[in-house]
Amino acid sequence: MSGAAYWLPVIWTVILAAAILIYVILDGFDLGIGMLFAVERDRGRRDVMVNTVAPVWDGNETWMILGGATLYGVFPGAYSTLLPALYLPILLMVLALIFRGVAFEFRIMTRDSGRSALWDLAFFGGSAIAAFCQGAILGGIIQGVSVTKGAFNGGPLDWLTPFSILCGLSVMCGYALLGACWLVWRTTGVLEASCRFWARRLAIGLFLGIIAVSLWTPMLHEPYLVRWTDWPNIVFVAPVPLLVMLLGFLFVRGLQREHPVTPFLCALGWFFLCFTGLGISIFPYMVPPSLTLWDVSSPPSSQAFQLVGTAILLPIILTYTIYSYRVFRGKVTEADAYH
Amino acid sequence: MVSAASALLLARFQFAFTVGVHIVFPAFSIGLAAYLAVLEGLWLKTDKQVYLDLYRYWIKIFSVVFGMGVVSGLVMSYEFGTNWSVFSQKAGPITGVLLSYEVMTAFFLEAGFLGVMLFGMNKVGRGLHFAATCCVSVGTLISMTWILASNSWMQTPAGYSIDPATGRFMPESWLAIIFNPSFPYRLVHMGMAAFLSVAFIIGGTAAWHMMRDKRKGQPISQPVKVMFSMAMWMATIVAPLQILAGDAHGLNTLKHQPVKIAALEGDWETESRAPEILFGIPNMKTEHTDYAIKLPFAGSLILTHSLDGKVPGMKDFPADQRPPSPIIFFTFRIMIALGMLMAATGFLSLYMRWRGRLFTSPLLHRMALVMAPSGFLALLCGWVTTEVGRQPWTVYGLLRTADSVSPIMLPSMAISMTAFVVVYVIVFGTGIGILLRMLSRQPEEGEHDLSEQGTASVLGTRSHPETVLSSPDHGAR
């Protein structure tokens, strides 16, 4: 394989992974906030929760569209096998995100017609289902997709297994934790205290989920197991579980001492580590267990053209995204009625 | 075989349905964002309250429209992969890259500055806020540019080669791909369509408020007058330009996709001195247009700008390469008729303006109200004409629609089709209801900002002024 044909897909895999991780973190706390509607019934406090993300959720969701578009342009072979294989969970996720997305506006705008409670339910349900589906999609990819001659050839429910359901529930738990930690950071009073309470419980749930998924994943395919147990790989991968434990310690201490940002940063750290661990397991497969990133990538001319734009545009995007977060920084209270 | 054919049919229905719903919202956003940028610019320049009032009134509409555009667009970015996997596998190296550029140059720009635009009036300076509005507006235009580059490439492909082993499209020249032969025509035509659609919504809203005020014996408020006048200027100037652009686009299509022209004209035989068929029912089986009412020579004159120009007929092309004429014959004519009526409304408003009766003519107001949805209807009809006219191809002349669809997945597609219809009816039905209620409230003098008003006032009853008053630290953070 020539230089460009080998390295371009590798570079793109890193960019794609970064885009997905940024999406997971940013929309993760959005969706988590939606799920926390289940334990927060007060309308004023619900408004505060929504107002902490109302100015930024659009940008958060755009990372997901970037992920889809990158897959489409750079790894069309993965896009055209994974999406039909995961047709139903993707459909369900998209429909859930539709409800979640419009509920931002509709729950306020329908307040004088009495349908507001329904849109609150849509906000909660959309967030919960989207989170579950994202986990199930992830699980479906990890456990493998049946492919012949570069096209999906399995059935519509292949993705639905105990493993993918476990992944779905773990991601729900993780997103809710991100949401709770975000609210600890961005709100005050009763809401802040209640989120601190829930953050602790959700962290335990996520922790159990991480352990279960980590033990289960290497059992799915031989190469996964080898990656984690072979010498000298073990030297490089051993820090992952150790760092997970260290973050757990910092998280508990941060909650006890009422640090505003520490719990959120620890939760982000967990997501980063899990994502890295996942990458270690499945690399170099883009469609496990058969198609590698080189098998599914587009011609080098496509990848190179897109890389030039990405190298210039991504730093600019990150800059103004950070600027927009800075404009809306600080604690949000019930006095800040954004609508 | 049966299930493959049904899966294809369902995939096509689903795409037509989801894209048909989606297209309205970006067009609305393109026009409205530009209008908002103009309003804010005028406010900064003249310091007149009326522009700020209008800005704050329309930005609430914008926030709802934009939200619906985002979620309906999300569907599109995954639908290529789920339903049209062979197309995305083969054309992804080109269309996928263009879509990625759209996301990076447009979506992020819009989404990044939308928050500042909607909620940041009290958090950043006036200049920065205006810059945010402009970024959002420019973002909507950039987005349209990439989408039309991609769509035009599917209509008039250029700058590619085909990999003999895999059948994939390989990019050879990105400049040729982006600036493909039909791209400039589509871009101009679609851009003006978006501006006109929004102008007629704004004009229709203003007309409705003027008629209601008149019935109640109230004077017409300044914001309503200003928005009506601006909308009518837009109609006066842009509607005739749009007719010229449409004509140029037609000549371009005749050159590159002659069978599309034949099908939308209902012409079967190639003729010079061809008549224009004003009405008729094209019959694909008998290869004849029944009940045709013809205008002599007009076909040649319109399509070739000469009386004896040669106009193609569908019989010149094999039966399996002809688009379904009956659909686009009618959508094309509806679009043309609406375009003419829009131009007529513009001229009528110019006449009334000259007579000093812009705000008093019941005829003009009634016409503006009836024409309110005409821009969007014309846009949808135009879109159907061009997309159905491309059939039976996804990439014109190269990749058939029947060969583009995902491997047989009838149950999944049936479930998703049903789900989309149900969800869209609930979500976009509610959304349109909310928009109509918002529009039924007049823009007020001293209109509240999105970030500082009580919630209910968005819909009319201003019931929470105390929320604003009780937040002394507002805007201080």
Side-chain angles (χ1 to χ4, degrees):
Chain A
M1 210 179 308
S2 75
Y6 179 82
W7 283 109
L8 278 171
V10 176
I11 296 169
W12 270 110
T13 303
V14 174
I15 297 173
L16 180 65
I20 294 174
L21 182 63
I22 294 175
Y23 168 74
V24 163
I25 286 170
L26 295 182
D27 215 27
F29 67 74
D30 287 4
L31 294 167
I33 285 167
M35 284 186 272
L36 289 170
F37 265 34
V39 296
E40 180 54 73
R41 297 304 172 91
D42 179 78
R43 196 173 85 183
R45 287 200 285 274
R46 282 184 169 186
D47 287 351
V48 171
M49 291 161 75
V50 172
N51 285 342
T52 62
V53 289
V56 292
W57 79 272
D58 250 328
N60 297 349
E61 190 137 304
T62 307
W63 290 94
M64 175 179 188
I65 302 182
L66 181 67
T70 304
L71 212 54
Y72 181 18
V74 177
F75 300 113
Y79 185 75
S80 63
T81 47
L82 290 178
L83 269 66
L86 299 160
Y87 196 101
L88 292 178
I90 286 175
L91 171 74
L92 201 58
M93 175 190 76
V94 166
L95 294 176
L97 287 174
I98 289 178
F99 278 105
R100 195 278 307 243
V102 294
F104 272 103
E105 304 289 340
F106 289 5
R107 57 183 293 280
I108 303 289
M109 305 285 183
T110 53
R111 203 150 269 178
D112 57 348
S113 72
R115 293 212 193 86
S116 187
L118 279 179
W119 289 106
D120 270 8
L121 186 66
F123 190 63
F124 162 76
S127 302
I129 293 170
F132 176 81
C133 288
Q134 288 180 6
I137 289 166
L138 181 72
I141 294 173
I142 298 173
Q143 75 196 4
V145 167
S146 162
V147 169
T148 41
K149 287 192 210 156
F152 172 64
N153 73 340
L157 292 176
D158 282 6
W159 59 279
L160 189 63
T161 61
F163 178 73
S164 65
I165 291 172
L166 171 70
C167 290
L169 295 174
S170 303
V171 166
M172 281 174 88
C173 206
Y175 281 0
L177 173 69
L178 277 178
C181 294
W182 167 263
L183 291 171
V184 166
W185 179 19
R186 298 296 310 277
T187 64
T188 56
V190 180
L191 188 55
E192 186 189 355
S194 118
C195 287
R196 199 167 274 128
F197 172 85
W198 285 107
R200 194 181 305 256
R201 272 138 197 87
L202 289 164
I204 295 168
L206 177 65
F207 210 70
L208 294 174
I210 290 176
I211 292 171
V213 174
S214 304
L215 292 178
W216 199 331
T217 303
M219 307 301 153
L220 291 168
H221 295 288
E222 180 75 22
Y224 295 176
L225 183 65
V226 171
R227 198 53 64 74
W228 286 95
T229 49
D230 251 20
W231 187 263
N233 281 355
I234 202 162
V235 179
F236 298 106
V237 298
V240 174
L242 291 179
L243 283 171
V244 170
M245 306 294 283
L246 176 69
L247 284 176
F249 170 72
L250 290 174
F251 177 83
V252 171
R253 215 181 55 164
L255 276 185
Q256 274 167 353
R257 300 191 179 174
E258 304 204 356
H259 285 175
V261 203
T262 310
F264 186 62
L265 293 178
C266 291
L268 292 188
W270 274 326
F271 270 87
F272 177 77
L273 290 172
C274 292
F275 202 71
T276 313
L278 171 75
I280 291 171
S281 291
I282 70 171
F283 187 87
Y285 292 102
M286 195 65 87
V287 185
S290 51
L291 301 176
T292 66
L293 42 119
W294 299 283
D295 294 333
V296 296
S297 59
S298 51
S301 49
S302 294
Q303 298 183 60
F305 178 67
Q306 198 172 327
L307 192 59
V308 173
T310 306
I312 298 167
L313 292 163
L314 220 47
I316 300 174
I317 290 167
L318 286 169
T319 309
Y320 62 66
T321 301
I322 292 168
Y323 167 75
S324 159
Y325 269 83
R326 272 188 63 79
V327 167
F328 297 99
R329 70 189 179 277
K331 297 265 185 191
V332 176
T333 65
E334 290 197 40
D336 301 281
Y338 276 146
H339 281 277
Chain B
M1 249 345 263
V2 175
S3 73
S6 319
L8 174 65
L9 196 64
L10 276 175
R12 293 181 60 182
F13 265 135
Q14 189 173 322
F15 197 79
F17 177 70
T18 48
V19 82
V21 173
H22 173 64
I23 192 172
V24 171
F25 297 108
F28 209 143
S29 301
I30 291 165
L32 202 48
Y35 182 55
L36 288 169
V38 168
L39 286 172
E40 192 172 16
L42 285 172
W43 171 59
L44 289 176
K45 193 159 172 244
T46 64
D47 218 22
K48 280 189 187 156
Q49 179 69 24
V50 64
Y51 294 122
L52 182 62
D53 291 340
L54 282 178
Y55 181 87
R56 288 178 165 175
Y57 179 78
W58 283 102
I59 202 172
K60 288 162 201 155
I61 314 284
F62 184 77
S63 72
V64 175
V65 168
F66 194 89
M68 289 197 278
V70 170
V71 295
S72 58
L74 185 69
V75 174
M76 309 308 308
S77 68
Y78 286 87
E79 206 163 3
F80 298 114
T82 49
N83 290 358
W84 302 100
S85 64
V86 181
F87 167 79
S88 37
Q89 164 85 322
K90 290 188 174 164
I94 288 175
T95 52
V97 172
L98 297 178
L99 183 68
S100 301
Y101 267 95
E102 185 199 14
V103 178
M104 289 188 296
T105 55
F107 285 180
F108 276 113
L109 193 66
E110 294 170 53
F113 288 98
L114 183 75
V116 180
M117 180 187 177
L118 294 181
F119 309 115
M121 194 71 114
N122 298 316
K123 292 188 189 280
V124 299
R126 282 182 171 198
L128 264 177
H129 190 267
F130 180 54
T133 308
C134 291
C135 282
V136 171
S137 172
V138 168
T140 62
L141 294 170
I142 297 174
S143 162
M144 170 179 75
T145 307
W146 287 111
I147 283 298
L148 287 181
S150 172
N151 179 262
S152 301
W153 181 83
M154 289 163 68
Q155 301 269 3
T156 53
Y160 65 91
S161 65
I162 293 178
D163 180 21
T166 57
R168 287 201 303 181
F169 292 90
M170 316 285 275
E172 296 293 333
S173 158
W174 285 100
L175 278 179
I177 289 168
I178 296 167
F179 297 96
N180 61 76
S182 64
F183 167 67
Y185 298 91
R186 273 173 225 284
L187 184 67
V188 170
H189 202 42
M190 179 71 191
M192 288 208 267
F195 287 140
L196 272 180
S197 300
V198 172
F200 275 89
I201 292 286
I202 294 169
T205 306
W208 192 72
H209 287 302
M210 288 194 287
M211 289 161 79
R212 196 164 64 166
D213 283 348
K214 203 172 168 196
R215 216 171 38 242
K216 287 184 183 166
Q218 289 167 346
I220 299 163
S221 76
Q222 191 60 19
V224 170
K225 279 185 178 175
V226 170
M227 76 191 207
F228 188 67
S229 174
M230 288 176 87
M232 288 301 115
W233 272 127
M234 191 70 148
T236 309
I237 297 163
V238 178
L241 288 178
Q242 179 71 314
I243 292 172
L244 293 179
D247 177 61
H249 188 180
L251 296 183
N252 178 268
T253 307
L254 179 65
K255 192 169 158 199
H256 296 281
Q257 297 173 301
V259 64
K260 182 194 273 188
I261 293 288
L264 63 82
E265 290 290 3
D267 292 335
W268 292 94
E269 311 285 349
T270 300
E271 312 176 69
S272 17
R273 308 187 174 211
E276 173 73 13
I277 302 175
L278 293 177
F279 178 82
I281 300 174
N283 188 324
M284 299 295 282
K285 288 218 174 74
T286 61
E287 304 194 330
H288 181 259
T289 296
D290 305 331
Y291 314 110
I293 302 169
K294 298 177 181 176
L295 194 61
F297 303 111
S300 290
L301 189 62
I302 293 168
L303 288 167
T304 66
H305 293 191
S306 105
L307 274 179
D308 53 2
K310 206 165 159 194
V311 173
M314 270 179 280
K315 284 185 186 172
D316 279 5
F317 303 86
D320 69 346
Q321 292 186 12
R322 298 173 194 162
S325 173
I327 301 172
I328 58 178
F329 182 88
F330 286 106
T331 54
F332 179 66
R333 273 156 189 72
I334 296 170
M335 176 186 76
I336 300 284
L338 288 170
M340 299 291 175
L341 283 171
M342 283 189 259
T345 312
F347 286 131
L348 179 64
S349 78
L350 191 66
Y351 174 73
M352 291 299 174
R353 203 187 286 271
W354 175 61
R355 299 285 307 270
R357 297 182 55 207
L358 189 65
F359 305 120
T360 52
S361 160
L363 173 67
L364 176 62
H365 297 172
R366 233 172 287 155
M367 182 139 178
L369 180 61
V370 172
M371 290 293 288
S374 62
F376 285 120
L377 281 178
L379 188 146
L380 278 171
C381 284
W383 199 247
V384 169
T385 307
T386 200
E387 294 300 283
V388 173
R390 191 188 56 214
Q391 299 305 322
W393 311 97
T394 45
V395 182
Y396 193 69
L398 298 167
L399 180 62
R400 280 183 176 272
T401 310
D403 299 330
S404 303
V405 75
S406 297
I408 313 162
M409 334 205 316
L410 189 59
S412 303
M413 285 201 197
I415 292 171
S416 64
M417 183 71 223
T418 318
F420 276 123
V421 171
V422 171
V423 169
Y424 275 33
V425 166
I426 297 171
V427 168
F428 299 110
T430 307
I432 289 164
I434 287 173
L435 283 178
L436 288 176
R437 277 200 299 155
M438 290 168 88
L439 290 174
S440 73
R441 183 185 69 84
Q442 278 215 11
E444 293 166 24
E445 295 180 24
E447 182 83 21
H448 276 206
D449 187 44
L450 260 178
S451 65
E452 66 182 20
Q453 64 181 352
T455 53
S457 70
V458 175
L459 297 170
T461 49
R462 185 171 285 178
S463 56
H464 295 305
E466 67 280 2
T467 327
V468 182
L469 297 173
S470 65
S471 54
D473 67 331
H474 199 89
R477 261 208 346 261

